[in-house]
Structures are given as structure tokens and as C-alpha cells.
Amino acid sequence: MRRLLLTLLVALGLPAAAQDSERPAVLVADDLFITRDRELVAQGNVEAFQGTTRIRASAIRYNDETGALVIEGPIVLNDGDGTVILADAAELDQGLQNGLLRGARMVLNQQVQMAAVQIDRVEGRYSQLYKTAVTSCKTCNDGELPLWQIRARRVVHDTEAKQLYFDDATFHIRSVPVFYLPRLRLPDPTLDRADGFLAPSIRTTSLLGTGLKLPYFITLGESRDLTLTPYLSSSTRTLEFRYRQAFTNGDIEFNGAYTRDDQLPDETRGYLFGEGSFELERGYKLSFTIEAVSDSSYFTEYGYSDDDRLRSDLTLSRARRDSFVRTSLYNFETLRPGELNSTLPTVVIDGEFERRFFPKTWGGELRFGLEAHSHWRSSDMDVIGRDVSRINGSLKYLRRFTHRSGLVTDAQVGTTFNFFDITQDDTFAQNHSDIAPFAAVGLSYPMARREAGGASQVLTPVVQLGWTDGSRLDIPNEESTRVEFDQGNILSLSRFPRPDRRERGATAAVAVNWSRFDPNGWDTYVAVGQVFRSISDPAFTDTSGLSGVRSDVLLAGQIKNNAGLSLTARTLVDSDFDISKAELRGGWSFGKTTVEGTYVWLEADTAEDRTEAISEVSLDGSYDINKQWSASADVRYDVQNSTAATAGLGLTYNNECVSVDLSVRRRYTSSTSVEPSTDIGFNIGLRGFSASNGTERYERSCGK
């Protein structure tokens, strides 16, 4: 029958939702008529809605005197808040707030569906479902049972509190009942935060045995929450916690654990990690980090962190276009065997200030910098308890000239001033100071070439001549014990990482950069460089690549393509073609497989506390078996000693209603405080409820 598109505005005038109470109802149907009993009847493709509540049915009967609605199915009721009800028949009041639905199914946020013999709607807030089956698995009409479901005598859905209350609930896997709960409460999928248990996990280790972790989430208001996770096994009683709070100008988070176990039966063990940041007035930012642990083997045994040195800090900073200021207080703690906190700089105060000026008369840029630093050792012994404070400043002028020929000239001139105070070390005088002027000029000539296929090449030779006056102060090397020679500092006047050391005399740096970019294929980058100096610097170690009057040759490159392959490499080669350092990183994604890896080679160097060479390979990868199953593996192998350091395997299953993770990890290394161990982890989560929602999942389709 031809659709008449008749629209009737019926002022119901009953208490519906607050935002909809003043809105009329709208009814659209193929046929619309009024009976002698003053009953409004709509038939054929009926749609009725008031505010955000909408109903689709084959027929609706509305009684003008009682305001009741009798609806013939199939019925689709959508409340506008993500809840959809499917039913065979229904009787509702005129506000659609109370009533009865038979042969109904409720779908919450397109994730959880509840099939019931009958649904009672009460006051527009509650839906009572009788003889109910609840699942987030997709169900088909082929009679196949979902992977899991919760069957209950009654389920009450509180739309205001966004909670589901179960009476006489039984959890089923397929058709097999697994466990029974007389009362059960779960959040519905539309709730972001609610008190309740999260997905449990099982962890098995060779040191701690098999244990269960059962997290419980507690809301402490709109901006705070606390998660408590008891971890119980035959060897440990641990309570993990996480506290989070958001402020109008920042946020904080603390993670930690309290432990009593059989590893150290007479001691209390645990850790605390915390961090936070706040935006202050005038553009300042305050941040802090807290890292503390009871003993050096705790992290390794419990798997909370891989750090072997902990850092706590409090920092106040501000960054603007032409200025930067920062002040920080640090506390360091070592967990490495053979290191003593009393003889290491554990308390550090560090600050810096930099300001740029752009004089219109001269052009170019004038830059002023100031840095203050102090570190303290708790030991009172001479030499090994040495404490150092310093102030370093610099004033320099920079100018760039671009000539018509394409030649680019970068010039800089300036001076540094340095003050040092050394205490608890009779082998050095206490006070030191100097002024070191410097100057440098760099020449570069970028050349570009475009190929017929759309690719482009850029070749840039670079030469820099530099000079720094003065002689080095007779002070200990406290901060520049590890030097890296790479593309980032090849044109620096000093390649030491900290200002307690500075290169002196005349230097020359030569480099060539070449790159090729192909929008249809391979991208390539290659850099070659070397540094020459008038005098050798004994502070550079042999493996730094910078010892002597001529540095090792720096070779660096990168290659990648559109097929997912990427390789980055860097090495130092001396005049005898010996390699002191090498690093290779790569990744390849093809089809369902992703592989990533690194290789590191470091030659032995006692000056860098490395008594033997390091040669190590790390590999990790994943493979998508199908849309639901994926596998992963990783290994770290010590090539020098022909032993594995760590290895791990993982297997994951994901679909629209469940996620399962299984992992096995083995650590082979040992020390005086840590033994080799094997960890087995198992996690399972039911999707659809807000406490266990996932963003990546596979949804199966129903076959015909």
C-alpha cells in the first residue's frame, strides 16, 4: 500500500525524560485511523518517537483515555542512549517509561545483548529481564551457542546508574555451566568508570610459583580512582595498587606494590613509581617523577620494571620562542651489582637558562646561555666521596650567509666562562675557573637532482673549521665519561656531552650527506664524516672514535621502501679498517608478519668500564595466524658469550566477545642477587563490559 506519510502530533503531556517532557510525540504510518472507542490505530511501517525514544513496529494502538500503547511486532525500540530493544509484542504507557515486552532482546551500545522471555520497563529507568541469556558474542540464527554467556533468572538494567544486576547467575562456556553466583553486578558498556572487579590474570614463575591477580577498581569521584590488585601464590602475598587523579591544570599517577614473600621471608618488599605534571601561570610547567624499590632483585623477580638505575626528580621549566629556563632536583639509585650508592652521585641539582636575541643592526642571532650543576655523594671518604659544583656560561653570535652560487656559510664566534668547586678530593684543588673564546665557520654546498621517474637526489658536502682557545682545567672527568660520535655532533665545536670537558685547539670537520627520495619505491640516506684536530685529546677513549688527531670515519645510513622494509646503520672505522662500534636496526612488515631487530657491537675498553667486547642481537616479531589468532616471539642473544639473555613467546586470541593472552618468558642471566627464572602469564577478558572493553577485535560473520 502506498505510504501516506501521515504525521500526527499528539501532546502526551506525561513525565518523560527531562529533556523530552515538553516535546510532542510524532507518529508516521501507512494507515492511520481512529476507532469508535477513541483508539488511535496506526498500521504498516509504523514509526513513533518522542524526543530520543523511537519505536518501529507493524502496528500501534493508542488509547486516548488511558494513554496506553499496545504494539504489535516485530518491534524495534531505541532510547537514543545506545540501548536497543527487539520484541515480539509490547504494552507501554504513553510516556514509554513503563510497560511489558514479550519475547524481547535488549542490545546495549552494540556490544552486549540480553535475550529474555519478558522485559518489564519501570519508571523509564529500570528494565527487568526474566529468564535471560547475556553475552557480547555475536549470535546467529543457525542455532549455534555463543562462546560464552551468562544465564540468569532475572537481570535488572539500571539505565541511570548504568549497572546490570543478576539474580541466580550461571556462567556458561558454550553449553557447559562453569560456575554459579547467586548475585552478580556488572557495568553496562556505556559506563566509563565504575567500582568492580577487572579481568583476572594468572602468573606462573619458577621463583614465585603459580599465582592469581584479581584487580578491583574503585572510583573516588569524577577525577580520582584507585585500583587494588591482590597477587597471591604459594610464595608471595602482594598487594598492587594504582592511584590516579586529574586536576584542572595537571594530573598525577602512582603505581606500587607491597609484598611479603618466601624469597626474603623476614623483610617487607615493594616499590613505588609516581609521576605528575602541572601547568602553572606565566607558561611554567612543574613535573615530578618518583622511583623507589626495596631491594635490587625485586623488579626482576616480579617483572614490574627492567630498570637497573632509578631516577626521581622535581623539575620546573618554561619554554618560549626566544627563551628557555629549567631547574631540576634529581635523586639516583643504582640496582647494578658492584655499584655502591654511597660512591655514586645520588643527589643532583641542575639548572639552565638560554635566551636568544635578533639584533636588527647586525643581523644574525645573539645567544646567551647559563648552566648550573651540583652533585653530591653520601660517602665522606676522600676521592671516592668527591662532590662537584659548577657554573658554565656562554655568549655567542651566529650568522648565516646564502650566496648566489648556492654556497651556504655558517659563522659563529663567542666565549665560554666556567667555574668549578671540588670538595672531598685532596688530589685536586678546590676552585677552578677559565674563559675560553671560540670561533667557527662552516661551508656547505647542497646540490639537488631530479630524475625522470619522479625521484630526487640531494648531495651536500660540508666543511667546518673551528678553534677554541685555552688549556683544559685540571679537574676530574665526572660527567663526560661516555662519548658518542654521530651525525648529531660532527659539526660541534665540542663533542663531549657535558661542559666539564671541552675540546681545545683547532679542529676541522669534513662530511658528505647524500639522500635519494623516490615516491614510488626506495628512500636512501648516507652520511660520511671525519674530524681532524691540531692536538689530541686524552679524555677521548679509544672506542669513542675521537682519540688522536684524526678521528675514525663515521659511516651512517638508512634505507626503506614502501613494502615495509627499513634499515638504519651506524659504525666507526679506523685507519686500519677496524670497527670499534657498530649498530644496526631494522624492521620488515610483509603480509601477516612483522619482524624487528637490532645488533650492537662495542669493542672492549677499560676506560669505559667494559672489560670485554659486547656483541648482542635482539629480535622480536609477530604473525597474524588469522583474524582471531596471533603469535609473537622475542629473543635477546649474547653473541660474544654464545648465550641467550632472554626469550619469550606469546599467543593471543581476540574476537568481539573475548580476549585471551598466553605468554612464556625465560630470563637466562644471573647475578649475586638474581637467579634465572621462567614466567608464564595467562589473561582472559570478557569484552562488552566497560571494565574489559578493547578497541581492536575481530567480529565473526554469520554464514548462510
Side-chain angles (χ1 to χ4, degrees):
M1 183 180 293
R2 184 174 59 89
R3 186 173 179 85
L4 302 178
L5 296 176
L6 300 176
T7 302
L8 177 67
L9 302 181
V10 182
L12 296 180
L14 285 185
Q19 67 271 24
D20 299 329
S21 60
E22 302 299 328
R23 300 182 182 180
V26 178
L27 184 66
V28 180
D30 290 336
D31 291 317
L32 186 65
F33 58 90
I34 298 176
T35 67
R36 293 179 180 179
D37 299 329
R38 298 185 57 80
E39 190 176 61
L40 176 66
V41 179
Q43 292 180 337
N45 297 317
V46 181
E47 293 186 21
F49 52 92
Q50 181 184 31
T52 59
T53 303
R54 294 172 178 265
I55 296 178
R56 294 199 306 270
S58 60
I60 294 180
R61 298 177 178 271
Y62 170 68
N63 190 301
D64 186 43
E65 295 181 357
T66 64
L69 288 172
V70 178
I71 310 173
E72 298 177 5
I75 302 169
V76 179
L77 189 152
N78 191 327
D79 67 356
D81 294 325
T83 300
V84 178
I85 298 177
L86 310 175
D88 296 330
E91 296 179 8
L92 299 172
D93 66 9
Q94 60 181 346
L96 307 180
Q97 304 299 298
N98 301 278
L100 172 67
L101 297 95
R102 291 182 294 273
R105 176 178 297 177
M106 179 181 292
V107 181
L108 303 178
N109 202 33
Q110 299 183 4
Q111 296 182 51
V112 173
Q113 56 178 311
M114 300 182 288
V117 174
Q118 175 181 313
I119 298 179
D120 291 346
R121 285 176 64 86
V122 182
E123 299 177 359
R125 171 175 175 175
Y126 302 99
S127 294
Q128 298 186 80
L129 297 87
Y130 296 93
K131 295 183 180 180
T132 310
V134 181
T135 185
S136 61
C137 300
K138 186 169 184 177
T139 57
C140 304
N141 295 325
D142 54 5
E144 183 181 356
L145 293 173
L147 180 62
W148 68 266
Q149 60 178 320
I150 301 174
R151 295 180 181 176
R153 178 177 57 83
R154 186 182 70 156
V155 177
V156 177
H157 179 217
D158 187 340
T159 59
E160 193 170 296
K162 299 182 178 181
Q163 296 288 326
L164 295 170
Y165 301 91
F166 295 76
D167 293 339
D168 296 329
T170 306
F171 183 81
H172 291 246
I173 297 179
R174 295 296 186 185
S175 60
V176 180
V178 178
F179 58 83
Y180 166 79
L181 291 173
R183 296 290 185 271
L184 175 64
R185 178 179 61 85
L186 291 172
D188 79 14
T190 63
L191 184 61
D192 294 328
R193 302 165 68 246
D195 295 352
F197 288 101
L198 306 180
S201 61
I202 298 174
R203 182 172 186 255
T204 300
T205 74
S206 57
L207 298 177
L208 302 176
T210 300
L212 174 67
K213 291 186 178 184
L214 186 60
Y216 189 83
F217 183 82
I218 305 171
T219 57
L220 302 174
E222 294 296 327
S223 60
R224 296 178 297 166
D225 59 58
L226 174 67
T227 303
L228 299 176
T229 306
Y231 172 31
L232 302 176
S233 76
S234 58
S235 299
T236 183
R237 283 76 61 199
T238 296
L239 179 63
E240 303 173 3
F241 63 88
R242 183 192 69 182
Y243 176 79
R244 301 183 300 180
Q245 183 169 356
F247 302 88
T248 55
N249 62 335
D251 58 80
I252 60 174
E253 180 175 336
F254 291 91
N255 292 270
Y258 174 86
T259 295
R260 301 286 291 186
D261 60 19
D262 297 342
Q263 302 297 311
L264 298 174
D266 298 327
E267 297 184 17
T268 297
R269 310 177 73 189
Y271 84 101
L272 176 65
F273 277 7
E275 62 181 4
S277 62
F278 299 89
E279 300 293 337
L280 306 181
E281 296 181 356
R282 301 175 60 186
Y284 283 96
K285 181 178 181 180
L286 178 68
S287 62
F288 72 87
T289 302
I290 298 174
E291 295 182 352
V293 68
S294 59
D295 55 87
S296 59
S297 60
Y298 185 77
F299 282 154
T300 305
E301 294 173 3
Y302 283 83
Y304 293 125
S305 175
D306 294 327
D307 295 343
D308 56 5
R309 280 180 177 167
L310 305 183
R311 188 189 79 172
S312 301
D313 68 82
L314 178 65
T315 299
L316 179 66
S317 63
R318 183 179 70 178
R320 291 183 171 178
R321 177 182 179 275
D322 297 326
S323 65
F324 175 76
V325 61
R326 177 190 60 84
T327 180
S328 301
L329 173 64
Y330 299 94
N331 182 79
F332 294 93
E333 179 183 359
T334 182
L335 307 178
R336 297 180 180 182
E339 291 187 347
L340 299 176
N341 284 293
S342 60
T343 60
L344 295 175
T346 53
V347 178
V348 177
I349 300 175
D350 196 80
E352 59 182 316
F353 171 79
E354 189 170 60
R355 181 67 186 272
R356 302 191 306 169
F357 303 91
F358 299 91
K360 295 182 179 180
T361 304
W362 312 332
E365 176 186 340
L366 186 64
R367 186 177 300 179
F368 172 73
L370 190 66
E371 183 175 339
H373 173 91
S374 179
H375 59 256
W376 174 80
R377 293 175 171 89
S378 60
S379 174
D380 294 330
M381 299 181 65
D382 189 40
V383 182
I384 63 174
R386 178 173 56 233
D387 303 323
V388 176
S389 299
R390 60 174 173 81
I391 295 177
N392 308 94
S394 65
L395 180 65
K396 59 182 176 181
Y397 173 73
L398 303 95
R399 185 74 182 271
R400 166 169 285 192
F401 302 92
T402 302
H403 307 279
R404 292 183 177 180
S405 62
L407 181 68
V408 178
T409 303
D410 289 290
Q412 60 175 305
V413 61
T415 185
T416 63
F417 49 93
N418 310 280
F419 304 92
F420 293 86
D421 181 82
I422 303 171
T423 57
Q424 285 193 185
D425 191 340
D426 290 341
T427 61
F428 293 95
Q430 180 174 353
N431 297 314
H432 304 261
S433 62
D434 74 342
I435 296 177
F438 62 86
V441 59
L443 303 174
S444 61
Y445 192 74
M447 295 172 285
R449 174 189 174 189
R450 183 169 296 276
E451 300 177 6
S456 61
Q457 299 183 41
V458 178
L459 178 66
T460 307
V462 180
V463 176
Q464 184 191 68
L465 302 177
W467 165 82
T468 302
D469 192 22
S471 301
R472 174 169 300 137
L473 297 174
D474 185 20
I475 58 175
N477 186 357
E478 288 276 274
E479 304 173 65
S480 297
T481 58
R482 304 292 185 270
V483 179
E484 288 292 330
F485 179 34
D486 55 27
Q487 308 97 295
N489 61 15
I490 191 170
L491 297 181
S492 299
L493 285 177
S494 180
R495 293 159 191 87
F496 290 104
R498 303 291 284 173
D500 62 338
R501 284 288 184 273
R502 177 171 287 275
E503 294 183 53
R504 308 285 178 155
T507 61
V510 180
V512 176
N513 299 316
W514 175 80
S515 58
R516 182 180 184 273
F517 303 97
D518 188 347
N520 302 316
W522 296 85
D523 292 343
T524 310
Y525 167 79
V526 177
V528 181
Q530 192 171 18
V531 176
F532 305 88
R533 57 176 58 87
S534 58
I535 56 175
S536 62
D537 195 323
F540 287 125
T541 62
D542 292 337
T543 58
S544 68
L546 293 165
S547 60
V549 296
R550 183 175 60 182
S551 75
D552 293 348
V553 176
L554 169 67
L555 297 174
Q558 183 183 62
I559 184 171
K560 60 181 181 179
N561 65 9
N562 296 336
L565 176 65
S566 176
L567 291 174
T568 302
R570 177 169 63 97
T571 186
L572 298 175
V573 182
D574 63 15
S575 57
D576 296 327
F577 296 99
D578 292 329
I579 296 176
S580 59
K581 291 182 179 181
E583 179 182 16
L584 175 65
R585 296 177 180 270
W588 191 17
S589 297
F590 55 98
K592 299 180 179 181
T593 304
T594 299
V595 179
E596 295 179 344
T598 62
Y599 173 73
V600 176
W601 159 261
L602 295 175
E603 195 176 56
D605 192 340
T606 56
E608 294 187 359
D609 300 323
R610 194 166 54 251
T611 57
E612 62 179 21
I614 294 178
S615 179
E616 187 174 278
V617 175
S618 296
L619 295 172
D620 64 85
S622 62
Y623 176 72
D624 296 330
I625 302 172
N626 54 37
K627 292 183 178 181
Q628 294 171 294
W629 289 95
S630 64
S632 62
D634 64 88
V635 63
R636 186 162 60 91
Y637 187 79
D638 187 347
V639 180
Q640 181 68 20
N641 298 311
S642 301
T643 59
T646 61
L649 293 172
L651 187 64
T652 302
Y653 176 84
N654 275 298
N655 67 6
E656 78 282 357
C657 63
V658 69
S659 63
V660 181
D661 295 315
L662 175 64
S663 62
V664 180
R665 175 162 294 277
R666 174 68 178 174
R667 180 178 49 80
Y668 299 90
T669 57
S670 62
S671 65
T672 56
S673 59
V674 178
E675 299 178 1
S677 64
T678 301
D679 293 357
I680 300 175
F682 179 73
N683 297 276
I684 183 170
L686 303 181
R687 298 186 181 274
F689 301 102
S690 60
S692 59
N693 272 347
T695 57
E696 295 183 2
R697 59 181 184 267
Y698 163 69
E699 181 176 345
R700 67 186 181 93
S701 59
C702 296
K704 294 183 180 180

